[in-house]
Amino acid sequence: MTQPARVAVIGAGPGGYTAAFLAADLGLTVTLIDEAPDPGGVCLYRGCMPSKALLHVAKVLTEARESAEWGVTFAEPDIDLERLQSWKNTVVSTLTGGLGQLTRQRKIDYLEGRASLVDWHTAAVTMKDGTTRQVSFDHGILATGSRPARPAALASEHNRILDSTAALDVNRVPGRLLVVGGGYIGLELGSVYAALGTAVTVVEMTSTLLPGVDADLVRVLSRRFGAVAETVYLDTAVTQLTADDEGVSVRLEGPQVAREDQRFDEVLVAVGRVPNSEIAGLDGTSVEVDPRGFVRVDAQRRTAEPSLFAIGDLAGEPMLAHKAFHEARVAVETIAGHKVAFEPTVIPAVVFTDPEIAWCGLTEAQAKAEGTAVSIARFPWGASGRAVTLSRTDGMTKLVVEPETERVLGVGIVGTGAGELIAEGVVAIEMGATVEDLRACIHPHPTLSETLLESAESFLGLSTHVYKPKRLSSP
Ligand code: FAD
């Protein structure tokens, strides 16, 4: 049976379902294909949302433990893992169920199955019940996302060696957990287990946690994470990994490692993600795939095959849900005949650790590497009234500024709630704001958002809550 469809979307993660919903809203006939019963993809089923649900629990546990400082003491928490799991699963089912409802309301033809390409205008779908359906389309949008990377040295099917998906199933609290990879996924999930009572060790191959993020921001996180984790090894590699029924034997090699051979109860491998570009039939089209497995696309997210678009993790870095949302809109509007392009000035990034780190635009490290002259303004949260009331002065807001024009080129924030605060930086940069513009905007008091205003003031040497005698004499 061949169904006529204007748009077929393969993969129903943040990229795919956003594309399908917008295409339907613009009056196009849409088929959306995914193996899951409802849309959601990695983000909702095994990524952003379940991890944030667990991080919320970790935050509550941490605050309860630290509250004695404010004169409130709680008993040591009793953690019911079954209920924790079931709550996290409810978060997932509420969100994916909601997307399923929105799919039906929009009259999108949702096919629960796995798609392959027959040619550049036809997909074959192996349905969950084993039958096959053919979908013809004028435009196809490939949104098949990504999966955890498993380098050969760390590959193992043993159930004590986890990837991020398995680690989200918190049905036990291991005594000792080794997290391989000091990127955002390793640190977020490591934080969850540490809060639940696991002794967490992190191994990172490079010389810093969160490689690529400005060192002054990472330093603030490292201080707190270092106190929560059992050990953090930098410049260190895992050279051997052998799991048995009782645990995992690991060999660590690095300058800080005193004991090379160690035993852990479980190991979480979080060393990055790889795009799902092995779509059957893709090689029969003109679609080009780069050496890292990303599908090559132009500014409209069109592949080298004119009828096929690619979005989300499949279409390149940064592999983040909000990039996928935005690319979806560009691809669909292009299909609908609008003149649009994917040309964001900045794509924000957030690490939901405690404290959070968030940044957007040019980082200080990037500017240095490119030889771009920038001025930096920093506002330490010790001078923020709101941070003091929260007992969370471990934070900093910084601006990366173009010296001649005083335009804000980058914003970096470390501190509780940084992920919410960074949105102001995104708007400021996209609108071409200068530090004076930021300073001229009245920010509500007392909030952490004032740290953006005060970092602008601090750039001008005029921060109310930081005393800088030299600049004050010549405003
Ligand atoms: P995906 O979400 O990967 O969805 C692709 C879908 O396509 C999947 O459902 C897959 O099963 C399906 N599919 C693949 N091949 C086929 C086929 N042949 N036929 C049918 N269906 C197919 N990002 C953030 O922005 N913020 C976060 O806080 C965040 N936290 C994360 C935490 C974790 C633990 C992980 C693993 C990821 C996190 N991410 C986060 C990344 C985010 O999940 C991804 O960037 C996002 O899901 C990518 O969306 P996508 O639409 O490209 O694809």
Side-chain angles (χ1 to χ4, degrees):
M1 179 174 59
T2 299
Q3 301 176 338
R6 277 284 323 258
V7 179
V9 184
I10 302 179
Y17 76 75
T18 303
F21 289 7
L22 180 60
D25 291 346
L26 293 177
L28 304 173
T29 309
V30 186
T31 301
L32 176 60
I33 308 153
D34 197 292
E35 287 174 293
D38 283 309
V42 168
C43 177
L44 276 84
Y45 282 101
R46 47 192 180 276
C48 325
M49 306 318 290
S51 62
K52 268 75 238 179
L54 294 174
L55 279 160
H56 174 66
V57 174
K59 185 167 192 272
V60 171
L61 286 169
T62 307
E63 288 192 341
R65 286 182 184 128
E66 293 180 351
S67 63
E69 182 197 342
W70 318 319
V72 182
T73 312
F74 295 97
E76 192 48 33
D78 185 14
I79 299 165
D80 179 340
L81 287 178
E82 217 167 286
R83 284 184 69 182
L84 175 61
Q85 273 284 89
S86 129
W87 174 70
K88 182 210 70 183
N89 293 342
T90 305
V91 169
V92 171
S93 60
T94 303
L95 294 170
T96 53
L99 290 177
Q101 197 177 347
L102 289 168
T103 305
R104 290 185 290 280
Q105 284 169 336
R106 286 182 161 93
K107 312 233 177 308
I108 291 168
D109 187 23
Y110 187 80
L111 301 185
E112 192 180 336
R114 188 160 188 85
S116 57
L117 286 168
V118 176
D119 60 35
W120 44 97
H121 282 296
T122 319
V125 184
T126 306
M127 301 290 287
K128 203 180 167 208
D129 61 12
T131 59
T132 304
R133 299 265 289 272
Q134 286 226 334
V135 180
S136 64
F137 52 83
D138 300 325
H139 299 282
I141 299 179
L142 309 176
T144 52
S146 64
R147 62 184 183 279
R150 267 292 175 98
L154 303 172
S156 166
E157 293 302 314
H158 201 283
N159 62 8
R160 286 183 181 271
I161 304 197
L162 319 173
D163 60 15
S164 59
T165 307
L168 286 165
D169 277 333
V170 190
N171 45 30
R172 74 276 155 229
V173 178
R176 282 194 91 204
L177 173 72
L178 176 69
V179 177
V180 186
Y184 84 95
I185 293 179
L187 294 187
E188 287 185 7
L189 293 174
S191 304
V192 168
Y193 279 93
L196 292 173
T198 297
V200 173
T201 292
V202 175
V203 170
E204 164 56 42
M205 255 175 72
T206 71
S207 58
T208 175
L209 293 177
L210 299 173
V213 183
D214 275 350
D216 50 356
L217 303 178
V218 176
R219 211 171 296 127
V220 179
L221 168 67
S222 294
R223 228 173 278 140
R224 191 168 164 98
F225 189 79
V228 169
E230 186 181 43
T231 321
V232 175
Y233 294 116
L234 301 175
D235 292 312
T236 300
V238 174
T239 55
Q240 252 179 51
L241 200 65
T242 324
D244 54 51
D245 288 347
E246 266 80 55
V248 189
S249 296
V250 176
R251 173 158 293 177
L252 302 171
E253 282 179 17
Q256 306 159 324
V257 179
R259 211 158 35 91
E260 284 195 341
D261 294 315
Q262 299 197 24
R263 284 284 284 176
F264 293 89
D265 295 294
E266 292 183 3
V267 173
L268 162 60
V269 179
V271 293
R273 297 185 62 79
V274 289
N276 292 326
S277 47
E278 304 84 2
I279 304 164
L282 191 68
D283 50 0
T285 69
S286 306
V287 171
E288 291 170 8
V289 177
D290 78 12
R292 291 184 61 200
F294 292 117
V295 169
R296 289 203 171 103
V297 288
D298 65 11
Q300 281 68 40
R301 307 291 98 169
R302 198 190 290 268
T303 69
E305 183 66 68
S307 64
L308 294 175
F309 290 71
I311 57 174
D313 286 6
L314 179 69
E317 301 271 12
M319 290 198 251
L320 292 170
H322 43 275
K323 190 205 78 158
F325 292 139
H326 200 71
E327 289 177 304
R329 293 179 195 117
V330 170
V332 170
E333 286 173 8
T334 300
I335 290 168
H338 304 187
K339 284 219 168 315
V340 287
F342 183 77
E343 46 191 6
T345 308
V346 300
I347 300 175
V350 181
V351 184
F352 291 85
T353 40
D354 180 22
E356 294 177 357
I357 295 190
W359 67 97
C360 64
L362 188 66
T363 65
E364 192 178 355
Q366 260 174 339
K368 204 167 163 192
E370 292 167 5
T372 307
V374 289
S375 302
I376 305 292
R378 291 186 182 82
F379 182 77
W381 283 23
S384 154
R386 185 62 178 139
V388 175
T389 66
L390 296 170
S391 204
R392 290 306 303 262
T393 52
D394 53 333
M396 179 181 49
T397 299
K398 96 188 234 195
L399 304 180
V400 179
V401 179
E402 190 172 52
E404 309 86 64
T405 61
E406 298 192 348
R407 218 157 47 95
V408 181
L409 301 179
V411 177
I413 307 176
V414 56
T416 191
E420 304 288 339
L421 297 173
I422 199 63
E424 179 174 343
V426 174
V427 175
I429 297 173
E430 290 287 356
M431 299 288 130
T434 62
V435 282
E436 193 58 68
D437 294 326
L438 260 186
R439 181 176 176 241
C441 296
I442 298 178
H443 287 64
H445 178 75
T447 63
L448 295 170
S449 73
E450 290 171 292
T451 66
L452 280 141
L453 164 68
E454 292 234 29
S455 56
E457 287 187 335
S458 146
F459 176 83
L460 302 165
L462 301 171
S463 166
T464 309
H465 298 99
V466 173
Y467 180 52
K468 277 199 180 154
K470 211 171 79 199
R471 298 297 297 266
L472 279 177
S473 59
S474 54

